[in-house]
Amino acid sequence: MHPTYRLSAFCLTVILCSLAARGTVGSLQTNTNPAVKEFGVADAKLVLCFDKTVYALSRSPTSLAHITDKNINYVKVETLKPGYYGGVNAEITGGAIKKPNIVITLTEGGRRNIFKSNVRVQMYCEA
């Protein structure tokens, strides 16, 4: 085997391995599940302070507001029947994480006028 061929094969192997490793590291750091959107950091010390389900066939977009006397540190928005219906888009349109008030706006993922699946919103506050 010619030395140039070995060097080329080695370089190609290194490049492919680095691309594969980069893809795995990125998927560990971010939530790529379209059925679940998270804001803040989950912690075992937090307590559930808001739990609401937006039912299928409700109008999209819709906003949910919550005001409490303790800071809201984590919000989880979950599409209850992912897959065929896809996920939901969620964004904070008022207030903020680690503040006592927050407004979450939900939009159907396919930009439709109604939600195709039930969507559950959970907010966790400081104990």
Side-chain angles (χ1 to χ4, degrees):
M1 189 182 292
H2 195 271
T4 307
Y5 176 74
R6 277 192 238 158
L7 181 62
S8 302
F10 177 72
C11 290
L12 182 63
T13 305
V14 169
I15 291 170
L16 290 177
C17 288
S18 68
L19 289 176
R22 195 168 107 198
T24 16
V25 170
S27 66
L28 292 175
Q29 293 176 350
T30 59
N31 177 12
T32 58
N33 184 355
V36 178
K37 304 289 186 211
E38 298 173 315
F39 303 99
V41 178
D43 189 359
K45 297 176 186 174
L46 300 176
V47 294
L48 183 66
C49 60
F50 181 84
D51 190 0
K52 171 83 174 168
T53 301
V54 176
Y55 294 100
L57 304 180
S58 298
R59 288 219 169 258
S60 170
T62 189
S63 294
L64 301 173
H66 183 61
I67 300 173
T68 182
D69 56 345
K70 298 187 179 187
N71 288 342
I72 301 167
N73 289 352
Y74 177 68
V75 177
K76 180 180 178 183
V77 179
E78 181 177 13
T79 304
L80 298 179
K81 288 185 181 176
Y84 178 73
Y85 297 117
V88 66
N89 295 326
E91 62 180 322
I92 298 174
T93 54
I97 292 294
K98 297 191 176 183
K99 298 288 182 188
N101 63 330
I102 196 165
V103 179
I104 303 286
T105 300
L106 306 174
T107 309
E108 175 64 31
R111 298 186 186 265
R112 297 179 184 94
N113 292 339
I114 58 172
F115 290 102
K116 299 292 184 184
S117 176
N118 294 343
V119 179
R120 185 176 187 186
V121 178
Q122 295 176 316
M123 298 182 190
Y124 293 85
C125 299
E126 297 172 343

